[in-house]
Amino acid sequence: KNQVEQSPQSLIILEGKNCTLQCNYTVSPFSNLRWYKQDTGRGPVSLTIMTFSENTKSNGRYTATLDADTKQSSLHITASQLSDSASYICVVRTFNSGTYKYIFGTGTRLKVLA
Amino acid sequence: KAGVTQTPRYLIKTRGQQVTLSCSPISGHRSVSWYQQTPGQGLQFLFEYFSETQRNKGNFPGRFSGRQFSNSRSEMNVSTLELGDSALYLCASSLELARERNNEQFFGPGTRLTVL
């Protein structure tokens, strides 16, 4: 069964600290993996997208990694800021026989405290 | 360029009623997808429209339907509302069909539907 699991469910860190969010997937075949940031009351905003051949991709203080062999991805946030408080959602796209599907994780809720 | 807009932002209905949600995509975007987001299930794909045609559909009952107009604006309708339909309904627009490998979807702020 195609699934995307994220951990931890929630996380509280102090401003300025680093953190890493995990995404494990059992989706096959794999097309790409995207990390979204969703602020409370807003729609998700894309942070990074990674294809099979990409190991690392950065977007400012956000760095995503992908290990296609172990089907794991992580999102590392450096020097966290209060504005990083949000839910982070991992999405894996699968494409087969002319149809596609996005499999969403349930997200990690991050709270950054001053 | 204006982002994706959704109306209304909040809605309260009672069981058995029906509801229509509206989505205006980013100018020039032709694909509109709808998602349901609940705390326990995360985001679940409802359907995608492109050039006024439904191109892909998720695993939702027939009570959920949609349509797209010639200006790419889209509406989603839910009939005979149930308590479990309470959720945030998100609309996402993109230039091309979401089946394009690295096609990016831009999400609207969502419509928060509460069914009493």
Side-chain angles (χ1 to χ4, degrees):
Chain A
K1 182 182 178 186
N2 287 329
Q3 280 189 311
V4 174
E5 294 186 353
Q6 292 187 244
S7 61
Q9 265 192 321
S10 60
L11 184 63
I12 301 175
I13 61 173
L14 293 175
E15 187 178 18
K17 297 296 185 182
N18 303 334
C19 68
T20 299
L21 314 180
Q22 297 290 342
C23 172
N24 296 339
Y25 60 93
T26 57
V27 179
S28 182
F30 174 88
S31 178
N32 63 41
L33 184 148
R34 199 185 287 271
W35 283 93
Y36 284 93
K37 177 188 178 188
Q38 185 175 21
D39 293 311
T40 301
R42 310 285 291 269
V45 174
S46 178
L47 293 174
T48 64
I49 178 173
M50 304 183 73
T51 57
F52 187 87
S53 59
E54 295 174 302
N55 302 116
T56 303
K57 186 166 282 189
S58 292
N59 177 1
R61 295 180 296 102
Y62 300 101
T63 299
T65 65
L66 175 65
D67 186 333
D69 291 330
T70 61
K71 297 188 176 182
Q72 295 180 325
S73 176
S74 65
L75 180 69
H76 186 76
I77 304 175
T78 304
S80 61
Q81 300 176 359
L82 297 179
S83 60
D84 292 330
S85 295
S87 287
Y88 292 84
I89 302 169
C90 173
V91 186
V92 178
R93 182 175 180 277
T94 183
F95 188 74
N96 195 21
S97 300
T99 63
Y100 69 90
K101 190 180 292 186
Y102 289 102
I103 314 296
F104 289 80
T106 53
T108 291
R109 189 182 296 274
L110 174 66
K111 178 73 173 175
V112 180
L113 300 177
Chain B
K1 189 183 269 191
V4 179
T5 58
Q6 292 188 245
T7 57
R9 292 293 312 277
Y10 302 92
L11 205 50
I12 299 176
K13 292 284 188 178
T14 56
R15 277 183 300 174
Q17 287 188 307
Q18 76 163 25
V19 66
T20 299
L21 312 181
S22 181
C23 171
S24 292
I26 292 172
S27 178
H29 284 196
R30 299 162 65 192
S31 170
V32 173
S33 297
W34 287 91
Y35 296 87
Q36 181 193 67
Q37 186 177 32
T38 57
Q41 298 289 323
L43 275 95
Q44 293 185 285
F45 172 69
L46 281 155
F47 26 65
E48 179 188 24
Y49 284 88
F50 184 86
S51 293
E52 302 178 64
T53 303
Q54 188 180 91
R55 301 303 183 105
N56 203 354
K57 190 176 188 301
N59 298 321
F60 277 81
R63 300 185 297 107
F64 292 81
S65 62
R67 60 177 175 169
Q68 186 180 34
F69 302 95
S70 57
N71 60 359
S72 294
R73 190 177 70 84
S74 177
E75 287 182 347
M76 190 193 103
N77 185 275
V78 188
S79 62
T80 320
L81 284 166
E82 300 176 358
L83 296 179
D85 296 333
S86 294
L88 180 67
Y89 288 89
L90 291 162
C91 162
S93 81
S94 57
L95 275 170
E96 301 293 340
L97 279 166
R99 71 181 182 201
E100 299 303 320
R101 181 178 288 269
N102 292 332
N103 187 54
E104 182 171 358
Q105 295 184 310
F106 296 84
F107 285 84
T111 293
R112 172 76 61 187
L113 172 65
T114 301
V115 182
L116 303 176

